[in-house]
Amino acid sequence: MFVHILITVIIHLCSISSSRAFLPPTTSKHQPPTASTKIFSSTSEVMPSNVQTLVDQAKSLFDESFGEDDVDRMFPKYCVSAPGRVNLIGEHTDYTGGYVLPLAIGYNTIGYGRGAIVKKAGSESLKCRIVSANNPVVEFHVSPSLEASTGSNKWVNYVQGVVLQYLPDLKEDETFIFDLAIVGDVPLGSGLSSSASLEVATAVFLERILDSQGVAYSSAKDAPLSEKQRKMERAVRCKLAENIFCGVPCGIMDQFVSSAGSFGKLLLLDCRSLDYREVSMGGETASSSDTPVLVITNSNVKHDLGDGEYPIRVQQCKEATDILTKMNPSIQSLRDATMKDVEAAAQLAGLDGLLLQRARHVVSENERTVKTADALEKGDWKTVGKLMNASHTSMRDDYEVSCEEIDVLVDLAQTFGDEVYGSRLTGGGFGGCTVTLVKKDSAQELIEYLKKQYEAKIGTKCVCFETTPAGGARPIDM
């Protein structure tokens, strides 16, 4: 009940009209299109070749793992896709209700499977089964008392946690039964949100099951959700799954952009209200030939946000907020504070040491994020670059989430030449990726330079790719 009350409050705060009804139960049968004509569901966008490859791999994995339908599992089949993400700027601000400026990328998690809502009575012997390209089949009963997995099956928690968020949509005597094969090309532990991509793909898969059987969200029984509200609620549920079931105190940015990403747009997201605006690079009339691109570089240093320093930073932000609130009761989170507030608290309220550093980063990062969105729309690439560089310095020195390998990559990019506007760490930190804004015709030269110099300095190969904003999660027509 708490979950749905929370979601309803969030939707009310956003003041978004509820004009679009849920999709009706599926009745049409799609003819299998060819690889050259297959499209994403509900769009005219042709499926990228890497997504088609992943879909083929997911189908093969499903057939190998679960075989043909048996008499107890003759359920409809669905295929879904959810992207990873890169955050241009606005790091470690989401869990304090601040601003972020992410984009979905063309690397995805694909879910292919079959499933249905069934009566509990008579289906006690049936279990949900999931398999991934890197892990064997895992079976489980869907139940509110389901406990998190440990060890090598820990990845399953990201699926199970989402399932539990959708269980209240069913009647008390109903449950989910499904078989799901999962493949993806979002690099694991790279800071590109492979976990959020998995969560959101699972959510879209479950929504397909709900839609096919005419079941609405339990929070939308009286008023159907618009498509925008539906994306927001999906993101909230996936965030809660990670917070509650996986034990990761993350904010909502990763799940939100994977759910609501828009082709060719970044999202300036207010993590308090969940309202957002789409931001075009250079504005709606910008020429693609003059617009720079983003180069993402994976340091191949991996991290686990569930362990170590990430929860510590969350707690430090709470403690810094407590000090600021005593000085100014209108400050309920670091989102509410200004740099003048931070400076005053440092002088008058004992905000010092690590807590001062953490507050200084978050407050200044919020300011940089809003300024970056404005500069992007104006095509002011130099200002964007300066803000990105300042963000990295703040993350390295005040928030202390960078590392040697990341700093080397950022320094190599920032000193490459005038072709590079700016570069910074992206993601939670302690490894992962950098994001660099570079002139389009210099991107490949930069990539080769980074690969060569990084290996020479660190002794490890890095992986680079060029990207522009991709679309968010969606069903894939079968």
Side-chain angles (χ1 to χ4, degrees), residues 388-389 392-393 396 402 404-416 420 422-426 433-436 450:
M388 291 174 66
N389 292 341
H392 182 75
T393 299
R396 181 192 65 205
S402 190
E404 177 188 3
E405 294 88 349
I406 290 294
D407 290 340
V408 165
L409 284 172
V410 169
D411 183 66
L412 287 171
Q414 290 179 350
T415 58
F416 179 75
V420 169
S423 185
R424 60 180 289 276
L425 164 66
T426 185
C433 292
T434 64
V435 55
T436 302
L450 291 175

Side-chain angles (χ1 to χ4, degrees), residues 64 235 253 381 431 464 478:
E64 293 169 3
M253 174 182 66
W381 314 125
C464 306
M478 299 294 293

Side-chain angles (χ1 to χ4, degrees), residues 295-298 300 408-409 412-413 416 443-466:
V295 169
I296 312 304
T297 305
N298 186 354
N300 281 319
V408 165
L409 284 172
L412 287 171
F416 179 75
Q444 193 56 45
E445 182 181 356
L446 172 65
I447 286 173
E448 295 305 319
Y449 175 77
L450 291 175
K451 288 180 177 179
K452 180 178 179 181
Q453 294 298 319
Y454 182 74
E455 185 173 9
K457 291 178 177 290
I458 300 298
T460 301
K461 293 182 183 294
C462 64
V463 177
C464 306
F465 64 91
E466 178 183 329

Side-chain angles (χ1 to χ4, degrees), residues 227-275:
E227 188 65 22
K228 186 173 183 179
Q229 288 175 326
R230 187 169 186 165
K231 292 175 181 178
M232 291 166 58
E233 179 155 352
R234 179 190 301 146
V236 170
R237 292 184 181 208
C238 290
K239 172 189 177 292
L240 290 171
E242 188 155 349
N243 293 160
I244 298 170
F245 201 75
C246 303
V248 180
C250 65
I252 198 168
M253 174 182 66
D254 298 351
Q255 295 86 356
F256 199 98
V257 70
S258 183
S259 178
S262 180
F263 183 78
K265 314 280 188 180
L266 294 86
L267 300 184
L268 177 62
L269 171 63
D270 180 336
C271 294
R272 171 180 286 169
S273 70
L274 299 191
D275 198 9

Side-chain angles (χ1 to χ4, degrees), residues 141-148 164 167 245:
H141 284 292
V142 176
S143 165
S145 61
L146 183 66
E147 296 184 358
L164 291 182
L167 192 58
F245 201 75

